[in-house]
Amino acid sequence: MAQSKQVSNLRRIEITARPTTRFSLPKSNGYSVYGALLNALASADESTSERVHDSSLGSLHNSGLQGTFGRADKRHQQLVLPDKTYRLVLGVVDPEDTEIFNALVNSFVLKGETLSLTNGELRIDSFESTNTTHEALLSHAAELDDPLVEMSFNAPTCIEEADEVTTMFPHREPVFMSLAGKWNRTAPDELALSLPREIIRQHVYEKPDARSYATHSVLVNRVTNEDGETRNIFRQGFTGECGYGLKDAPESVSNAVVALARFGQFSGVGSAVARGCGNIGVKVN
């Protein structure tokens, strides 16, 4: 018999940081931040950094830097401003990756290191952690009656429905199928959720805010071919706000939808979440 996954904390880390100088950064800055985080992890624990880089699960969710940027002379670039404060949200959901959280604490809190990007550095002003468990998310969801979930897709959300076919709209099926997949890969076996596509289609509906909707193409990786040429890898995705309501939903479906939405604040939604994609904010009414 397969062993149940060990119970572990889901961790969400909110970092505020201030640049030491004005410098340029790509508009899709998640990939640059990802590299800086790997370097910070490597300075604290090289094996943990390597595991994050090699993980197919996407152990680390990284929102990319969020805040007010200046205009840069170069296309697809923006300026980080020294009189502004920037926000970075990280999430750790893999049961075996408590070491990631410990390494981040060691690097940014205990050692007081900066986040070093290609053209400049950011000093860490604050480092706050929120913990929960899959079980707690389900328990909290069970306390609600006729909930409405409001999601803000703050970073380009890239959900592949088939090979190289990406959803470009916050449709209920790909959003909650993505979250259910991440949940079931990280939750204890006894807390796995069964939420088939047809159940989502039948009992969940969307209330999108068309004015907030936008599409994006974001850099998520660079690869080198046999000739030594570097090729940029892009993913397509969307940002915006969307509400999700429930219609004639059994209690188990309602609980699953609410728990998955809140779980998404830790895991991110879709692919390339370690490289700055899929960051969401959630309110449940």
Side-chain angles (χ1 to χ4, degrees):
M1 179 181 294
Q3 290 184 339
S4 173
K5 304 179 186 74
Q6 69 182 63
V7 176
S8 65
N9 280 332
L10 306 171
R11 301 183 187 272
R12 187 172 187 267
I13 303 157
E14 291 196 28
I15 294 172
T16 59
R18 192 179 300 274
T20 56
T21 59
R22 178 189 302 255
F23 63 91
S24 63
L25 188 69
K27 287 185 177 179
S28 53
N29 64 68
Y31 181 72
S32 299
V33 173
Y34 173 69
L37 289 169
L38 287 182
N39 290 335
L41 287 170
S43 69
D45 186 338
E46 187 170 350
S47 63
T48 296
S49 176
E50 291 175 354
R51 190 166 71 250
V52 171
H53 184 272
D54 296 337
S55 172
S56 60
L57 176 64
S59 304
L60 181 67
H61 161 46
N62 150 38
S63 70
L65 287 183
Q66 300 175 348
T68 302
F69 298 90
R71 295 183 63 181
D73 294 333
K74 292 184 178 180
R75 189 183 179 190
H76 303 309
Q77 295 279 317
Q78 58 192 355
L79 292 177
V80 177
L81 306 173
D83 61 338
K84 302 295 183 181
T85 299
Y86 295 88
R87 178 174 177 260
L88 173 64
V89 178
L90 307 175
V92 181
V93 297
D94 192 317
E96 298 182 356
D97 279 343
T98 301
E99 293 86 352
I100 295 176
F101 175 76
N102 293 337
L104 289 169
V105 170
N106 186 38
S107 179
F108 293 136
V109 178
L110 300 182
K111 292 184 178 180
E113 294 184 1
T114 58
L115 186 65
S116 299
L117 298 161
T118 302
N119 298 323
E121 296 183 338
L122 294 102
R123 293 195 183 96
I124 307 302
D125 283 350
S126 67
F127 183 105
E128 298 181 359
S129 172
T130 302
N131 300 346
T132 191
T133 64
H134 297 83
E135 183 176 19
L137 291 177
L138 284 170
S139 296
H140 293 159
E143 298 172 358
L144 301 176
D145 182 31
D146 193 24
L148 173 67
V149 173
E150 296 180 353
M151 280 193 195
S152 298
F153 296 90
N154 300 320
T157 301
C158 312
I159 307 175
E160 291 187 13
E161 291 239 70
D163 289 343
E164 299 183 0
V165 177
T166 304
T167 295
M168 298 301 287
F169 184 80
H171 194 275
R172 59 193 183 275
E173 294 174 36
V175 168
F176 284 98
M177 290 293 290
S178 170
L179 288 169
K182 294 175 185 292
W183 175 287
N184 287 337
R185 287 194 297 270
T186 59
D189 294 339
E190 63 273 15
L191 296 180
L193 296 175
S194 177
L195 198 65
R197 184 179 293 269
E198 58 270 20
I199 295 296
I200 299 173
R201 186 184 306 124
Q202 180 180 358
H203 295 295
V204 184
Y205 61 90
E206 306 95 346
K207 299 176 65 175
D209 179 356
R211 294 172 299 178
S212 67
Y213 173 74
T215 60
H216 308 265
S217 181
V218 294
L219 175 68
V220 298
N221 204 359
R222 290 189 175 95
V223 296
T224 304
N225 62 22
E226 295 178 354
D227 298 326
E229 298 174 331
T230 300
R231 181 167 67 95
N232 293 334
I233 305 297
F234 291 88
R235 291 283 184 270
Q236 284 66 51
F238 60 86
T239 54
E241 298 180 3
C242 187
Y244 298 93
L246 294 152
K247 181 180 180 181
D248 301 327
E251 185 178 358
S252 60
V253 173
S254 176
N255 293 348
V257 166
V258 172
L260 287 173
R262 287 177 167 161
F263 172 74
Q265 295 181 106
F266 296 82
S267 68
V269 181
S271 64
V273 295
R275 292 167 166 81
C277 295
N279 175 251
I280 64 170
V282 174
K283 293 182 180 178
V284 181
N285 299 317

